[in-house]
Amino acid sequence: MDAGMAGGIAGSVIGCMGGLIGTYFGIASTSRPHERALAIRFSVACWIWMAAVIGMVCFAPRPWGQLVVPLGPGITLAIPWCNRKLALARAEDEASTGDA
């Protein structure tokens, strides 16, 4: 194993650990049940999306494996939409319980 392969493996492991930690704290920071359920659904969707994109890049034949250009930024573009949905869920939960 050369240094490039070791660096690639180490970077992948560290990146996945960072994603797991971010996912955990993103879900743990929610305070309402509806908000938490949405955060879990969004997290699962993001992990599946990224696994599919990475799998497509690694295992798809030549023309299909290059579709990462339009698929990769999809999560980045979905973040504002997810934040709006979470804010709406938070507002609905606060309105239903009467908290300010």
Side-chain angles (χ1 to χ4, degrees):
M1 180 183 311
D2 61 346
M5 185 177 285
I9 292 170
S12 298
V13 169
I14 291 170
C16 285
M17 286 175 25
L20 287 171
I21 292 169
T23 301
Y24 171 76
F25 283 111
I27 293 170
S29 68
T30 61
S31 58
R32 308 281 184 182
H34 187 64
E35 183 183 7
R36 180 165 288 144
L38 273 174
I40 290 170
R41 274 191 271 158
F42 291 152
S43 298
V44 168
C46 286
W47 278 98
I48 290 172
W49 182 268
M50 289 308 297
V53 169
I54 292 169
M56 180 179 274
V57 169
C58 292
F59 301 116
R62 184 52 106 146
W64 298 105
Q66 295 175 345
L67 283 177
V68 72
V69 174
L71 292 178
I75 288 182
T76 304
L77 296 174
I79 289 172
W81 178 79
C82 292
N83 286 339
R84 284 193 300 273
K85 288 292 204 180
L86 285 170
L88 284 173
R90 184 178 300 133
E92 287 175 4
D93 283 342
E94 287 177 358
S96 67
T97 59
D99 293 344

